[in-house]
Amino acid sequence: MDEEETMTKAPTDMATDKSIEPVIKSLHCKETHILGDTIAKIKNLIIGNNKYKSIYLRDELINRLTELVNDLYINYLLVLTSGDQNQPSEILLDEKFFDLINQILIIFGSFSLGNVDHLHKLIQKYKIHLILFNIIDLNAIYLRQTEDKVPNCKIVETSIRTLSNLYSSAQIKAELIYQMDCVLYRTDSRDDLPANLKSLIDLYQLNHSIKHYILNIITISAFNLMISSSIKSHSEEQNEANGRHRSYLIKSNFIFLFAGLLISIQSKIQLNCLKFYAYMSFECLESVKTILNTSYYDCGLLDLISSFLSRENNIELQLYSAKCLTNICRSSLISKLDDMDLDSAEFKLVNFNSKLIKFKVLPTLIRLCSAYSSCLKNSNTSKFDHMSIGSSNTTVQNKKFLNIFFLIEILSTLSYLVELSSYLQQTASCLEQIIHLIVSDVLVGYNNLSSGLKNAKLNNKNKSVYNLNKTSCTSLFSLFYLYYNQFSSQSIYYLLNEHQYKVYMGKKYNFIEEFLVYKRLISVGFQTLACLASNSEESRRVVSDSPDLLSRLIESIEINEESFDSDDDFSSLTDYKDGLIGDGAKVDEFKSDATLLRISSLCLLHSLSRSVHQLRTKFLDSKLWNCIIDLIHRLKAKNSECELIKSDDQMEIQTEREDDFSLNEKNLISILIAILANLLIEFSPCKETLLGDDVIKILIEFVNYKNKSIRINSIWALMNLAYHADQKIKQQILAEMTFDRLFQLLTENDEILVLKTLGLIRNLICNRPHIDHLMCFYGTRIIQAVIMVLEADFSDKMIKEQALCILANIADGTNTSKEFIMGNEDLLRKINSFMTDNFTEIQVAAVYCVSNLVNINDEGALERQNKLKEIGAHRILQKLLHSNDPILFEKVKSALQQFSTNVPSNNMSSLF
């Protein structure tokens, strides 16, 4: 818990040096009572006063205090654990001695509740956490050896409380937590549980307070591991370490131990437990399996967690219970790639179709969303005060922000839950009121921003802040990672954690922080609307019918980036830097946030672009595609174009400056191209206009990028563009890309890239005149590429289906094109074998290919029919007549009708 900062006036610098010298001198005294009085004086001065903390946090004093702890207490513990009972010091080992050590640890604990500078010095310079872990470890060793009480339980409790303060400080940064985690999870063998983690487990049962502090330490460590594991830009070594540390937490049995605290009468302890389970279950199947198989006194852990969804509980408990179950549900999807039985009772409890998710979690989130949206709209900051843990400590202004924080977390959890389930999206969208409420939340956020910025202009200092943040709109997507056309809100907790402690404890809330809170509300609102509208035409209609929202959407996309001089601009932000950005922060960190807001805006635009009605109305009327193309050009201007280098008859790609794009910018390009793919479909009225903006050249350049998501979406967009396109567009695509490049893409290891490349080739080889033209120039290469795909092993069956569809298109050409297939008996036998495949879609494609080859209206049909009969195609078709699949049955029936009809031979073709 944070200390209250007193208003005591700090001494001047000259007085400071004179006043601290006697204190340091007294610390070297051998007399216990003088030493005790000095330590008590330091403790009383620094508690609750950051100014005195800054004065006393200096090398001479801290080094002496750590020396006392090491020489007196730690050496004493070393002697105890080694079996030597000799006294380690001249000072008598009585209660006064233990009280002295305890007072020093309290001083460390008070320093840990200071500002950022205090925390950096404690952890990075003085390594206080190492001393604390050492005390904890030695006491645990003594407890194991004697199976009795520790020498002094109060010292153990203070040490663990101080460590808990370090972890949970409102000013703590991720890198500092990571340093402490490295000590917590340090082990000589990867198979063994880390010694410090074992020690916390051994000391867990000493008393109730220690349980609470250990829960706090482990919860924040689990949170930091969850965030670190979600960041894709970490080194392989750090990612491996994060995964290893997470597995240690699972093996440590804390999942079971904390289950007992869920039945605590203290809401704060229950909330920390739910947070721990939420963090541990985030995209971690191993944790989910453990949670599902854990019971506490014959009550399943999942039942305990879900019991907090009840309206009788605190709002935060309801929210984190829903968040935990949401993460369990999403993580269970990983089971498709693991050994978890999809038919098991555990999986059925937490999948999207389970009663728990459909009838408890989703309704709870919708109810909370509705309640807090109404609260925000009506500016009723006291409506839910009694339901917020610790809300009695907050100011009226911060109660308002606390409600906004809850709304942001509710919306982010809702969007994460429904993101991959069309059923849940449609269920939530049925309540049209929810869509209207979220739209109003976004507009409220914008209105508050507008009023805040107007007030900022009245102050010269704040005016520079306004100019800077006009181009740096922070959203909740700091770890936003796009994968093809899907997106994920992987780290809602991280940015919330940055300021939420301030809100709870009534700390000062400055202009920049207020600005960021509303930006987060807007971003998560866009994200939630994007999820709800992705598969619901009615949701798209409600969103698009709000003209104010659409104008704000375009405004978010069209944010102009300006260049700033870091020294000049940050010199005016001195009052706001503490608690907002770490030391050494750059303007680039602010600028990247403009990209983050664009991503959330574009996600909503992408959902709207999936509607034919929206493409023909709102997109056409507002010319939304103009800002899409303009943004792509601006992004490309930051990076050099990819150079194609020919080497050994293959195309290689040079992307020397591709890494100049940040992760968020790559995600931004990916979603932009995904929108373009929808704008380029056959019936889109935007298609012709976009073709005039060199969109083909742009897409083909992006195909050459290393980023997987960008490449796939670019091929996808070209595939849509080529569908039923005229010869001119197809020639333009091939002129820019060439078939050689397409063939090279088919050799890639990425199956989705191969699938979409085959789709592009299929759309290019479509329409009889186009088929014959392309087969005339590239026929042999195309057949070789198709055979290569058919003979390869792919986990995705759709790849071979696409390859057979290409053959079906070739078979739909004239006799010249058909001969490329008929002249290859091995290929014909492969088509025969695919007609008996276990995958129905592959069977349909193979039968369709045979049907086109024997079409009675084409020249040479009789000869082709006879040849196919010889290799057994007709016999296979007759067997397939017994198929239960209606589509396959119709295709087989059509093909057999071609065989049974009298057809002209080649000699009769001249009569026609």
Side-chain angles (χ1 to χ4, degrees):
M1 188 172 180
D2 286 359
E3 299 172 351
E4 292 296 327
E5 185 177 343
T6 63
M7 299 302 293
T8 306
K9 185 176 180 181
T12 62
D13 293 340
M14 186 176 296
T16 298
D17 293 334
K18 290 182 179 179
S19 61
I20 201 170
E21 285 179 4
V23 173
I24 296 173
K25 186 176 181 181
S26 299
L27 288 176
H28 289 81
C29 180
K30 296 294 183 180
E31 296 183 21
T32 307
H33 71 278
I34 296 177
L35 196 58
D37 291 343
T38 305
I39 291 172
K41 178 184 177 182
I42 296 172
K43 182 192 75 172
N44 293 333
L45 278 174
I46 67 170
I47 287 180
N49 195 314
N50 278 347
K51 294 177 182 177
Y52 273 103
K53 286 175 185 173
S54 298
I55 293 169
Y56 282 90
L57 193 62
R58 51 176 61 197
D59 293 352
E60 303 93 329
L61 190 142
I62 300 299
N63 288 339
R64 178 54 184 164
L65 291 178
T66 55
E67 183 182 355
L68 286 172
V69 174
N70 282 319
D71 291 348
L72 303 180
Y73 187 64
I74 292 181
N75 285 341
Y76 166 69
L77 289 175
L78 287 171
V79 171
L80 285 182
T81 53
S82 65
D84 186 359
Q85 299 300 320
N86 294 328
Q87 300 295 342
S89 174
E90 296 176 3
I91 300 178
L92 295 177
L93 301 178
D94 54 12
E95 287 301 320
K96 290 183 179 179
F97 163 78
F98 289 124
D99 185 63
L100 186 71
I101 300 300
N102 192 54
Q103 294 296 316
I104 294 175
L105 294 176
I106 290 173
I107 290 173
F108 292 156
S110 181
F111 279 128
S112 69
L113 295 173
N115 59 32
V116 178
D117 291 335
H118 302 154
L119 286 168
H120 272 276
K121 286 182 179 179
L122 284 174
I123 296 174
Q124 293 186 329
K125 187 174 183 179
Y126 302 122
K127 311 291 184 185
I128 296 300
H129 60 292
L130 292 177
I131 297 174
L132 298 172
F133 275 121
N134 207 357
I135 292 173
I136 293 168
D137 189 39
L138 289 171
N139 274 282
I141 292 173
Y142 180 80
L143 187 63
R144 291 185 210 118
Q145 290 177 350
T146 62
E147 297 182 0
D148 195 2
K149 293 183 179 180
V150 294
N152 189 283
C153 188
K154 188 179 291 185
I155 290 179
V156 176
E157 182 178 336
T158 306
S159 300
I160 296 177
R161 181 176 68 242
T162 302
L163 192 60
S164 174
N165 289 344
L166 283 172
Y167 267 93
S168 60
S169 170
Q171 308 293 337
I172 195 72
K173 300 297 178 183
E175 61 270 18
L176 297 180
I177 296 179
Y178 181 75
Q179 288 185 37
M180 293 190 289
D181 275 352
C182 287
V183 179
L184 175 61
Y185 300 110
R186 186 171 58 198
T187 180
D188 296 332
S189 172
R190 294 189 178 186
D191 298 328
D192 295 336
L193 208 60
N196 288 320
L197 201 59
K198 280 183 183 177
S199 300
L200 289 178
I201 297 171
D202 292 337
L203 299 173
Y204 180 78
Q205 299 293 346
L206 283 182
N207 63 45
H208 186 73
S209 296
I210 287 179
K211 289 182 181 180
H212 181 204
Y213 299 135
I214 292 177
L215 169 64
N216 199 41
I217 293 169
I218 298 301
T219 298
I220 295 179
S221 176
F223 161 76
N224 199 57
L225 289 175
M226 177 196 73
I227 297 303
S228 298
S229 300
S230 302
I231 300 177
K232 307 300 179 182
S233 57
H234 277 334
S235 65
E236 289 185 11
E237 182 180 354
Q238 186 169 343
N239 287 331
E240 183 184 352
N242 289 331
R244 191 166 61 249
H245 295 169
R246 226 175 182 189
S247 66
Y248 288 150
L249 279 183
I250 298 169
K251 294 176 183 176
S252 66
N253 207 31
F254 277 121
I255 290 178
F256 170 75
L257 291 175
F258 293 157
L261 297 180
L262 277 176
I263 58 177
S264 169
I265 59 174
Q266 297 184 41
S267 297
K268 287 185 178 180
I269 294 178
Q270 291 174 324
L271 179 62
N272 263 352
C273 288
L274 290 174
K275 286 183 176 181
F276 168 74
Y277 292 126
Y279 302 149
M280 287 298 292
S281 59
F282 184 78
E283 297 190 356
C284 182
L285 181 60
E286 191 177 355
S287 295
V288 169
K289 288 180 179 179
T290 306
I291 290 172
L292 294 179
N293 292 314
T294 298
S295 297
Y296 186 79
Y297 286 105
D298 297 328
C299 182
L301 179 55
L302 191 68
D303 294 330
L304 284 174
I305 293 171
S306 59
S307 67
F308 289 96
L309 294 173
S310 169
R311 293 173 186 244
E312 300 171 356
N313 291 298
N314 181 282
I315 284 286
E316 279 188 278
L317 295 177
Q318 294 180 51
L319 171 59
Y320 270 92
S321 175
K323 186 182 288 291
C324 181
L325 294 169
T326 295
N327 289 348
I328 290 174
C329 175
R330 286 293 300 264
S331 294
S332 65
L333 294 178
I334 307 173
S335 61
K336 294 178 181 178
L337 307 177
D338 205 87
D339 58 353
M340 187 174 182
D341 184 7
L342 297 182
D343 296 323
S344 65
E346 292 86 358
F347 179 75
K348 289 179 179 179
L349 284 173
V350 292
N351 63 32
F352 287 131
N353 294 319
S354 68
K355 292 182 179 180
L356 178 61
I357 299 299
K358 289 193 297 185
F359 301 134
K360 288 189 177 181
V361 176
L362 182 61
T364 298
L365 290 172
I366 291 175
R367 171 168 49 81
L368 294 177
C369 177
S370 178
Y372 271 98
S373 294
S374 301
C375 172
L376 178 65
K377 187 176 181 181
N378 299 326
S379 299
N380 186 353
T381 58
S382 61
K383 183 176 181 181
F384 296 100
D385 288 349
H386 67 287
M387 306 182 77
S388 303
I389 296 173
S391 63
S392 58
N393 300 327
T394 61
T395 63
V396 174
Q397 176 70 1
N398 280 352
K399 286 176 183 177
K400 175 182 177 182
F401 289 121
L402 188 57
N403 286 334
I404 296 174
F405 272 122
F406 284 140
L407 180 57
I408 290 171
E409 288 216 56
I410 292 164
L411 289 174
S412 64
T413 306
L414 176 61
S415 63
Y416 190 55
L417 176 64
V418 306
E419 180 184 7
L420 299 181
S421 171
S422 58
Y423 172 80
L424 294 181
Q425 290 167 12
Q426 292 168 3
T427 303
S429 300
C430 287
L431 299 173
E432 191 174 311
Q433 178 191 6
I434 290 297
I435 308 293
H436 285 293
L437 284 172
I438 298 172
V439 170
S440 68
D441 293 340
V442 173
L443 295 178
V444 166
Y446 270 111
N447 292 336
N448 279 279
L449 282 180
S450 300
S451 60
L453 294 178
K454 287 178 182 177
N455 294 333
K457 292 181 181 179
L458 300 177
N459 186 296
N460 288 333
K461 182 182 290 186
N462 282 350
K463 185 173 181 180
S464 66
V465 175
Y466 160 67
N467 289 335
L468 180 63
N469 281 278
K470 185 169 62 175
T471 66
S472 57
C473 311
T474 301
S475 74
L476 286 169
F477 301 95
S478 63
L479 306 175
F480 194 88
Y481 185 73
L482 285 168
Y483 189 71
Y484 311 134
N485 284 329
Q486 295 177 345
F487 56 95
S488 176
S489 55
Q490 293 198 52
S491 59
I492 297 304
Y493 319 102
Y494 182 70
L495 286 170
L496 289 175
N497 188 58
E498 189 177 352
H499 303 300
Q500 200 160 8
Y501 286 106
K502 274 196 166 188
V503 179
Y504 279 133
M505 300 306 162
K507 298 293 184 180
K508 180 182 176 182
Y509 217 77
N510 63 47
F511 168 74
I512 291 184
E513 290 172 322
E514 180 178 351
F515 188 92
L516 298 180
V517 169
Y518 284 115
K519 283 297 181 186
R520 292 171 192 168
L521 175 61
I522 295 165
S523 296
V524 77
F526 279 150
Q527 177 206 0
T528 308
L529 289 173
C531 287
L532 295 177
S534 60
N535 287 294
S536 171
E537 188 65 33
E538 183 62 22
S539 299
R540 297 183 192 120
R541 181 192 63 78
V542 175
V543 171
S544 62
D545 283 349
S546 173
D548 291 338
L549 184 68
L550 280 180
S551 63
R552 296 298 190 180
L553 193 63
I554 297 173
E555 180 184 325
S556 300
I557 297 170
E558 291 182 333
I559 298 173
N560 291 318
E561 290 190 6
E562 302 168 3
S563 58
F564 296 97
D565 183 86
S566 58
D567 296 332
D568 293 341
D569 286 303
F570 273 87
S571 62
S572 60
L573 292 176
T574 307
D575 296 341
Y576 301 113
K577 288 170 71 175
D578 187 22
L580 177 65
I581 52 175
D583 293 337
K586 306 297 183 183
V587 176
D588 288 342
E589 295 180 35
F590 276 95
K591 280 189 172 184
S592 65
D593 294 335
T595 304
L596 301 173
L597 180 61
R598 288 196 191 102
I599 290 175
S600 59
S601 307
L602 288 169
C603 284
L604 177 53
L605 197 61
H606 178 245
S607 292
L608 295 176
S609 71
R610 300 178 72 179
S611 165
V612 178
H613 176 72
Q614 297 301 327
L615 288 177
R616 292 179 174 175
T617 53
K618 301 298 181 182
F619 277 77
L620 190 61
D621 296 340
S622 59
K623 295 186 178 179
L624 281 167
W625 69 83
N626 289 338
C627 61
I628 302 295
I629 292 294
D630 180 60
L631 185 54
I632 289 176
H633 282 301
R634 283 159 54 192
L635 285 168
K636 280 186 58 188
K638 289 184 59 178
N639 209 331
S640 62
E641 298 182 8
C642 299
E643 292 184 29
L644 298 179
I645 303 174
K646 291 186 178 180
S647 175
D648 298 330
D649 297 328
Q650 288 190 340
M651 306 287 282
E652 293 183 357
I653 307 167
Q654 184 178 5
T655 52
E656 294 178 357
R657 294 184 59 194
E658 186 186 345
D659 288 339
D660 290 347
F661 280 143
S662 67
L663 177 63
N664 287 323
E665 286 173 332
K666 290 175 183 177
N667 293 334
L668 177 60
I669 294 172
S670 180
I671 193 73
L672 280 169
I673 299 171
I675 296 171
L676 270 182
N678 290 342
L679 296 178
L680 291 172
I681 56 179
E682 180 190 13
F683 43 76
S684 170
C686 319
K687 181 176 179 178
E688 292 300 323
T689 307
L690 288 171
L691 288 174
D693 290 319
D694 293 331
V695 71
I696 294 177
K697 188 174 181 180
I698 291 171
L699 291 173
I700 291 174
E701 287 175 0
F702 281 130
V703 170
N704 296 328
Y705 276 43
K706 290 181 180 178
N707 183 272
K708 180 168 62 175
S709 180
I710 292 175
R711 297 176 73 193
I712 290 173
N713 283 348
S714 299
I715 288 289
W716 202 322
L718 288 169
M719 182 184 74
N720 286 355
L721 178 60
Y723 181 70
H724 285 180
D726 57 33
Q727 184 73 3
K728 180 181 177 182
I729 293 175
K730 291 181 179 180
Q731 286 177 344
Q732 190 177 352
I733 293 173
L734 288 174
E736 294 287 345
M737 191 168 204
T738 73
F739 255 111
D740 288 335
R741 178 70 180 123
L742 285 173
F743 295 146
Q744 185 192 349
L745 291 174
L746 293 177
T747 63
E748 298 280 349
N749 293 327
D750 192 302
E751 291 194 1
I752 298 183
L753 181 62
V754 172
L755 179 65
K756 296 306 170 186
T757 303
L758 288 169
L760 173 56
I761 295 173
R762 175 186 174 183
N763 288 347
L764 289 172
I765 307 175
C766 186
N767 192 334
R768 179 166 288 192
H770 302 169
I771 295 170
D772 293 336
H773 175 78
L774 291 174
M775 293 303 293
C776 179
F777 288 98
Y778 306 103
T780 303
R781 294 290 305 277
I782 292 172
I783 294 296
Q784 288 175 350
V786 169
I787 292 174
M788 177 191 70
V789 171
L790 292 176
E791 291 179 346
D793 292 327
F794 295 103
S795 59
D796 189 351
K797 297 286 188 179
M798 299 296 291
I799 292 178
K800 294 194 176 182
E801 184 213 2
Q802 282 292 325
L804 289 168
C805 287
I806 293 174
L807 290 179
N809 283 2
I810 295 171
D812 193 38
T814 62
N815 189 48
T816 304
S817 298
K818 294 179 194 290
E819 275 304 310
F820 282 98
I821 299 175
M822 296 303 299
N824 191 328
E825 188 169 329
D826 289 339
L827 180 56
L828 291 175
R829 295 189 182 279
K830 281 185 174 61
I831 295 172
N832 269 3
S833 66
F834 284 119
M835 285 196 290
T836 60
D837 195 89
N838 294 327
F839 192 61
T840 306
E841 283 77 3
I842 287 180
Q843 288 182 287
V844 171
V847 170
Y848 186 50
C849 180
V850 172
S851 180
N852 284 346
L853 285 173
V854 299
N855 192 315
I856 59 173
N857 296 319
D858 293 334
E859 178 185 355
L862 182 59
E863 286 79 2
R864 288 190 292 273
Q865 287 186 13
N866 291 335
K867 187 168 184 178
L868 286 170
K869 283 181 180 179
E870 289 176 7
I871 62 173
H874 186 266
R875 184 174 60 257
I876 294 172
L877 288 171
Q878 287 178 323
K879 291 180 181 179
L880 291 176
L881 273 175
H882 302 290
S883 172
N884 294 325
D885 186 273
I887 298 176
L888 178 59
F889 175 78
E890 289 298 326
K891 292 293 182 185
V892 171
K893 182 179 176 182
S894 175
L896 286 173
Q897 286 175 349
Q898 304 294 329
F899 276 100
S900 63
T901 307
N902 292 326
V903 296
S905 66
N906 282 338
N907 295 331
M908 299 174 62
S909 61
S910 60
L911 297 176
F912 293 88

